[in-house]
């Protein structure tokens, strides 16, 4: 589910993801060609559930990248995905902020991910080669796969994340 009221909130039911055969995570996307930079300002979704999600670059279930927060804890940020059917973690860090700026940039076949607490001082999360001539989409997503050793509780409603903005530059 999603709601728009000064911010976009995306809610992901338990178990929704963007990996292997489970590509049912809720998302909003748009097609993109060539070099670009996309960024968003993300916020905690709801007090009663984890904040999991962020930006992503999607070709198909075997080729995508995720720039996201919260997967391995409240302050976690990461760049991970699947390239040619192989899952990989390309970079990971921590950012001590509730309001997290996320950015993904593509130049040629190189993609890099950045984060910032204020939108001015950017920190690298990771970088990888992502060669593709196939139609590509960029957008926002939420994840409902909750790591119970990190987030203790039942979380019957899954996870949620809010976005203040989404900016795309080509």
């Amino acid at each position: 589910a999603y709601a728009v009221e000064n911010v976009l909130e995306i809610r992901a039911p338990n178990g929704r993801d963007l990996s292997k055969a489970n590509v049912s995570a809720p998302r909003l996307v748009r097609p993109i060609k060539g070099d670009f930079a996309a960024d968003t300002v993300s916020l905690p979704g709801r007090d009663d559930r984890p904040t999991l999600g962020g930006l992503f670059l999607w070709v198909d279930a075997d080729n995508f990248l995720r720039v996201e927060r919260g997967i391995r804890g409240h302050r976690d940020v990461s760049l991970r995905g699947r390239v040619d059917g192989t899952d990989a973690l390309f970079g990971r860090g921590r950012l001590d902020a509730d309001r997290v700026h996320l950015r993904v940039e593509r130049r040629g076949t190189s993609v890099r991910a950045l984060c910032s607490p204020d939108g001015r001082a950017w920190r690298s999360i990771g970088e990888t080669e992502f060669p593709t001539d196939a139609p590509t989409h960029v957008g926002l997503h939420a994840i409902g796969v909750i790591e119970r050793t990190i987030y203790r509780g039942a979380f019957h409603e899954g996870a949620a994340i809010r976005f203040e903005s989404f900016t795309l530059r080509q």
Side-chain angles (χ1 to χ4, degrees), residues 18-23 57-66 79-90 128-130:
L18 288 172
S19 66
K20 299 185 172 88
N22 182 3
V23 292
L57 189 57
W58 179 267
V59 174
D60 57 36
D62 285 328
N63 295 282
F64 62 87
L65 297 174
R66 306 156 54 152
L79 171 62
R80 61 190 185 126
R82 178 176 275 195
V83 179
D84 292 330
T86 302
D87 292 326
L89 175 66
F90 302 105
T128 188
E129 290 297 308
F130 191 66

Side-chain angles (χ1 to χ4, degrees), residues 17-81:
D17 202 359
L18 288 172
S19 66
K20 299 185 172 88
N22 182 3
V23 292
S24 59
R27 58 200 147 193
L28 293 174
V29 298
R30 62 158 290 158
I32 190 78
K33 290 183 180 181
D35 295 348
F36 72 89
D39 50 70
T40 189
V41 178
S42 64
L43 304 158
R46 304 234 170 154
D47 291 338
D48 65 341
R49 57 189 89 176
T51 301
L52 307 174
L55 292 165
F56 77 112
L57 189 57
W58 179 267
V59 174
D60 57 36
D62 285 328
N63 295 282
F64 62 87
L65 297 174
R66 306 156 54 152
V67 181
E68 56 198 357
R69 64 181 290 183
I71 300 302
R72 296 275 177 234
H74 180 65
R75 303 295 183 211
D76 178 74
V77 290
S78 62
L79 171 62
R80 61 190 185 126

